[in-house]
Amino acid sequence: MKSYTKYLGKRVLYMILTLFLIASITFFLMKLLPGTPYSNQDKLSEEQIFIMNEKYGLNEPIIVQYGIYLLGLVTGDLGTSFQFNNTPVAELLSSRIAPSAQIGIQAVVVGTILGIVLGVISAMKQGTWVDTTATLTAILGRSIPNFVFAVLLQLIFGVWLGWFPIALWSGFASSILPSIALAISPLADSARFMRTEMVDVLSSDYVELAKAKGLSKWEVAFKHGIRNALIPLVTLLGPMAVALMTGSMVVENIFAIPGIGEQFVKSILTNDYPTIMGVTMLYSLLLVSVILLVDVLYGIIDPRIRVATEGGE
Amino acid sequence: MVSNNNFQPEQSLPELTPDLFAKADSLDVQDNEKITAPSLSFMQDSWRRLKKNKVAMVSMVLLIIITLLSIFAPVIAPHSPNAQIIEHANLPPKIPGLDISGLNGTVNQNGIRLDKYEQTGVESDVYYYLGTDSLGRDLLSRILYGTRVSLFIAFVAALLNLIIGVTYGLLSGWIGGKTDNVMQRILEILSGVPNLVIVILMLLVFDPGIMSIIIALALTEWISMARIVRAQTLKLKNQEYVLAAKTLGQSSLSIAFKHIMPNLLGIIIIQVMFSIPSAIFFEAFLSFIGIGIPAPDASLGTLINDGYKTFRFLPHLMWYPSAVMSIIMISFNLLADGLRDSFDPKLRD
């Protein structure tokens, strides 16, 4: 247990290092950008620019600005947006987290559960048409770009059938289509992963033994198969988080949802650097936390991995 | 040499002459003893198994055709992809000899099919197989050129990712010890950085364009390649044949590239095959959110994005590039799946 605490401490240290690195990269890349934050510089006198720079701390040497920026990050101050009415970035983003989180979580939960079901069925019915259909679904889900899929959903269920709101955010009903669009990628990934794992587990010795004991096929699958196949599924959480971030930028834009992804795209297109940096840090924090969570969970779920060895994986 | 000097013909045996005999070639004799199939190299064996996988083969043929079409786009394209003929804007698809609604240049307006080509006064011998966009540019030509751009970005990014990833992983695993430790810690930190964010930041700082997208993709995609190559190198490093090579006095570097590398080939090929569709997707994603290839050049992603803007009125502008992109993605994924199965030593029969 002591070695585990040590391992955990090391992981947290790396997490902080990663975040520091990302913060530094974003800061210096932003300083490399050409141009000034003022859109009407020609009309401003030198004094006005000086006063403005003074106000936003832009007259300080870069290294001091860097220090101020890092200090701000620690205290949750992400600066002020250039474009959206001088709103503090932290405030701008926090008002938008709820919709993004809602569709993101719905997508992961629904997608993963459906994916597991699909994967298990196709592993149990290996080589039949059920397997072929499930595999085909997974491949289509992985291959068709999510923006194409989102537009299709919007067209069919929003415009033609009129079952769900076409766009905008007005509660649960409007979260359904975006959630489905986002769920496709976790669904395809987990179905594929689950099938491989199940096929592996089903051919292992303890499953043979369980069969020999006279358990039925599905009993074996539920009691021995799925439990063991589920463990490695945890490792998919990291890639899923990444897919959700990219996905949400597209899906939120198509469905006009006031979330983080939509804000990010808007900020990119309007050169709103403080907001871009804020979202960057938010995404990085999310990803790094998910990676840490996966490592910790994995150690807890599977006792065989608890002894973290140096170097080897 | 068979000699018949002592042979006495007694009964009615046919006469034996030297020309009835052939020299016994030593190799021939050995072959008679052989009962195994010809030994296949790893690549030959994998290729044999891949050939049995019909789905993967169809995907491969499709990809070869698409790649060739895009390479020869300048020859094949019926129109210039960037030539704007405003009078020919927003025309529906029209294919000579095909009189199916939707493909014969007519559109449905208030329940009546109107010949758009006649209406806008386009000469009767002008055909736009997939219609035109709002600036009168031929969609088919734009798709051909767009595929070219998308595939070029994906292939070059995959190649760079291959070079960086394999070198890094091989060095880290092969040298081992402290070097490996440091290199792994660097990877660990880098893998926490969301690719998305770095790519977007890089595109903001550098001028958007094909080169900056390639560099951004290559810089972020090599990490998983490096990890896989390292893990495999660590495994291979303690094999007997490596020890034998060492004993024979081969240099460390030449063992790494001559003995370890060929054994990594399968894994590397699979990894590259999976990285190509992900690069295509990522490029399309960037174009879709508006920071991709600048106009007038287009990739499949920019075409889909342009089409999306008008897709309620001119749906073909979005569906055709989307279909092409989906076909490319599906084929790459199926081929990569097939390759993975055929390279898997566990499945060898």
Side-chain angles (χ1 to χ4, degrees), chain A:
Chain A
M1 208 55 210
K2 200 181 165 195
S3 72
Y4 189 65
T5 336
K6 202 177 147 199
Y7 166 74
L8 203 66
K10 218 166 79 183
R11 298 292 326 183
V12 173
L13 190 76
Y14 282 131
M15 180 177 155
I16 294 168
L17 249 169
T18 308
L19 286 176
F20 169 73
L21 185 79
I22 297 168
S24 309
I25 293 175
T26 29
F27 179 82
F28 288 109
L29 277 180
M30 287 296 149
K31 287 291 153 199
L32 273 180
L33 286 174
T36 64
Y38 311 113
S39 52
N40 50 351
Q41 196 169 14
D42 297 341
K43 291 181 196 154
L44 296 171
S45 68
E46 297 236 335
E47 287 78 17
Q48 281 171 315
I49 291 179
F50 184 83
I51 293 166
M52 294 278 270
N53 279 348
E54 195 67 31
K55 188 185 171 201
Y56 291 108
L58 295 173
N59 282 335
E60 309 285 345
I62 293 267
I63 197 77
V64 176
Q65 291 185 33
Y66 179 54
I68 293 171
Y69 166 71
L70 285 183
L71 213 69
L73 277 185
V74 177
T75 54
D77 175 12
L78 298 172
T80 310
S81 165
F82 285 171
Q83 301 292 341
F84 300 94
N85 305 326
N86 285 334
T87 326
V89 173
E91 201 177 292
L92 191 70
L93 294 184
S94 61
S95 68
R96 285 172 164 265
I97 284 179
S100 290
Q102 190 186 341
I103 58 171
I105 291 169
Q106 278 171 214
V108 171
V109 172
V110 173
T112 314
I113 291 175
L114 280 180
I116 290 173
V117 172
L118 214 62
V120 169
I121 293 176
S122 89
M124 295 296 290
K125 302 263 177 197
Q126 250 181 87
T128 63
W129 65 269
V130 185
D131 183 22
T132 317
T133 322
T135 313
L136 203 70
T137 316
I139 284 177
L140 285 183
R142 202 149 42 99
S143 304
I144 296 179
N146 48 15
F147 39 89
V148 174
F149 199 76
V151 173
L152 260 177
L153 281 178
Q154 192 179 38
L155 184 68
I156 296 172
F157 296 103
V159 180
W160 289 345
L161 296 174
W163 291 353
F164 302 104
I166 298 171
L168 293 174
W169 188 249
S170 52
F172 178 68
S174 44
S175 77
I176 294 174
L177 288 183
S179 298
I180 297 175
L182 270 183
I184 293 303
S185 131
L187 190 154
D189 284 345
S190 51
R192 189 178 132 85
F193 199 84
M194 201 61 193
R195 185 185 181 276
T196 323
E197 285 300 319
M198 272 300 271
V199 169
D200 245 24
V201 171
L202 288 180
S203 60
S204 63
D205 291 341
Y206 59 84
V207 167
E208 291 293 323
L209 176 71
K211 275 188 204 156
K213 278 196 312 193
L215 289 183
S216 80
K217 200 177 154 195
W218 287 99
E219 260 178 308
V220 175
F222 279 105
K223 284 204 177 137
H224 300 277
I226 296 177
R227 261 200 228 172
N228 284 294
L230 274 179
I231 297 174
L233 200 69
V234 176
T235 52
L236 271 188
L237 275 176
M240 266 184 202
V242 175
L244 277 184
M245 287 174 203
T246 39
S248 71
M249 290 172 72
V250 167
V251 169
E252 285 178 12
N253 255 300
I254 289 174
F255 289 98
I257 289 165
I260 302 280
E262 199 235 3
Q263 177 65 57
F264 195 31
V265 175
K266 238 194 258 169
S267 303
I268 290 168
L269 297 178
T270 54
N271 290 341
D272 183 6
Y273 301 134
T275 313
I276 296 174
M277 286 159 91
V279 179
T280 303
M281 288 317 294
L282 189 70
Y283 276 171
S284 311
L285 182 69
L286 186 68
L287 181 64
V288 172
S289 317
V290 168
I291 292 176
L292 180 73
L293 184 77
V294 168
D295 282 349
V296 173
L297 267 184
Y298 212 77
I300 293 170
I301 300 172
D302 194 341
R304 284 170 299 181
I305 309 179
R306 202 163 287 166
V307 190
T309 46
E310 189 72 25
E313 258 156 84

Side-chain angles (χ1 to χ4, degrees), chain B residues 315-337:
Chain B
H316 67 273
L317 288 181
M318 174 162 183
W319 295 138
Y320 288 123
S322 301
V324 173
M325 181 155 169
S326 301
I327 290 172
I328 294 176
M329 297 281 287
I330 292 171
S331 306
F332 265 116
N333 278 322
L334 287 173
L335 179 59
D337 274 352

Side-chain angles (χ1 to χ4, degrees), chain B residues 289-320:
Chain B
I289 62 169
I291 51 173
I293 314 280
D297 289 327
S299 68
L300 286 175
T302 33
L303 288 177
I304 296 173
N305 186 24
D306 289 347
Y308 174 61
K309 288 172 189 154
T310 53
F311 98 107
R312 286 288 285 134
F313 312 102
L314 302 158
H316 67 273
L317 288 181
M318 174 162 183
W319 295 138
Y320 288 123

